[in-house]
């Protein structure tokens, strides 16, 4: 009986060894197949890995929300001044074009009347260069965070479309909240209707 039991034990171990070998071969084949597929589809795979992922979109900004710092593109002075008065950030970075430098200086003067510090004013020569505005916004967000600002938001209301797009891309890549100010335009006064401004959180990091 002991001999029979020993033979059965040997047979079981042999079977398990063969099963392990088969599983190993299957795993190896699957790995080779996956590697081959990844090589053939490498461009699609790269696009998938590099895809844009957005946080929460168009959520109402809770009343009383505060940010340590804002990064704002400048076209006219009214919206950035309203943001300063509404959110009361400790710091603000203004990114203007050559055409909106005067408006940026008006915002600077307004900030001096509040507790908001203009950490920097950057004037870029080409308002249509989205890449330049993206790079400047990215550098500004990093600088603000190094200075101790933990909650940084980026406004995308003002400026030409390439300016706003550049700032939006920088905000998404840096995981910053993106803000937009919606307001009614008064054609008679040729300006925003006072009191009609509404602050929207376009995207909020997860």
């Amino acid at each position: 009986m002991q001999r029979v039991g020993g033979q059965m034990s040997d047979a079981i171990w042999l079977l398990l060894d063969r099963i392990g070998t088969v599983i190993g071969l299957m795993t190896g084949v699957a790995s080779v197949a996956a590697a081959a597929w990844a090589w053939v589809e490498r461009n699609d795979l790269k696009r998938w890995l590099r895809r844009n992922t957005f946080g929460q979109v168009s959520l109402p900004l809770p009343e009383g929300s505060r940010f340590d710092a804002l990064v704002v593109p400048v076209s006219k002075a009214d919206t950035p001044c309203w943001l300063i008065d509404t959110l009361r950030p400790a710091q603000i970075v203004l990114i203007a074009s050559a055409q909106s430098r005067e408006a940026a200086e008006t915002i600077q003067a307004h900030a001096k009347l509040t507790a908001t510090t203009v950490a920097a004013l950057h004037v870029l020569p080409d308002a249509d260069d989205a890449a330049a505005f993206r790079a400047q916004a990215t550098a500004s967000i990093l600088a603000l965070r190094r200075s101790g600002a933990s909650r940084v938001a980026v406004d995308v209301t003002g400026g030409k479309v390439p300016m706003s797009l550049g700032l939006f891309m920088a905000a998404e890549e840096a995981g910053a909240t993106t803000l937009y100010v919606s307001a009614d335009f008064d054609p008679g006064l040729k300006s925003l209707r006072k009191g009609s401004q509404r602050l929207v959180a376009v995207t909020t990091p997860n």
Side-chain angles (χ1 to χ4, degrees):
M1 291 297 292
Q2 291 180 352
R3 184 179 178 184
V4 173
Q7 289 177 342
M8 289 181 63
S9 178
D10 290 343
I12 290 172
W13 282 113
L14 180 60
L15 177 62
L16 290 175
D17 182 63
R18 288 178 177 175
I19 291 173
T21 301
V22 171
I23 291 174
L25 288 172
M26 291 175 64
T27 302
V29 170
S31 298
V32 170
W37 175 84
W39 173 255
V40 172
E41 303 294 338
R42 61 190 181 281
N43 292 327
D44 289 338
L45 187 60
K46 285 178 182 177
R47 280 192 291 271
W48 183 82
L49 290 172
R50 295 174 181 173
R51 74 195 188 283
N52 288 334
T53 56
F54 300 97
Q56 302 175 79
V57 180
S58 293
L59 287 182
L61 197 67
E63 188 175 347
S65 293
R66 290 289 180 268
F67 296 95
D68 301 320
L70 299 178
V71 179
V72 179
V74 178
S75 55
K76 296 183 179 180
D78 47 5
T79 296
C81 288
W82 181 83
L83 278 170
I84 290 172
D85 294 340
T86 302
L87 295 177
R88 299 287 179 175
Q91 301 181 76
I92 187 170
V93 171
L94 304 174
I95 305 180
S97 65
Q99 293 79 12
S100 60
R101 178 194 289 270
E102 186 175 340
E105 291 171 351
T106 299
I107 299 165
Q108 276 187 310
H110 180 80
K112 288 181 180 179
L113 303 177
T114 71
T116 298
T117 298
V118 178
L121 165 57
H122 302 286
V123 180
L124 304 185
D126 185 359
D128 293 322
D129 189 348
F133 280 88
R134 173 188 176 187
Q136 184 57 70
T138 298
S140 297
I141 294 169
L142 292 175
L144 288 168
R145 285 176 172 166
R146 283 196 297 268
S147 73
S150 58
R151 296 199 65 202
V152 179
V154 177
D155 173 55
V156 295
T157 312
K160 295 183 71 175
V161 171
M163 295 169 63
S164 295
L165 288 175
L167 267 71
F168 178 78
M169 287 186 284
E172 289 302 308
E173 291 164 353
T177 297
T178 308
L179 303 175
Y180 180 81
V181 179
S182 175
D184 300 327
F185 185 76
D186 189 328
L189 297 175
K190 295 183 179 180
S191 63
L192 299 181
R193 184 174 288 114
K194 190 174 181 179
S196 68
Q197 295 94 334
R198 298 175 299 280
L199 190 57
V200 178
V202 180
T203 60
T204 305
N206 289 322

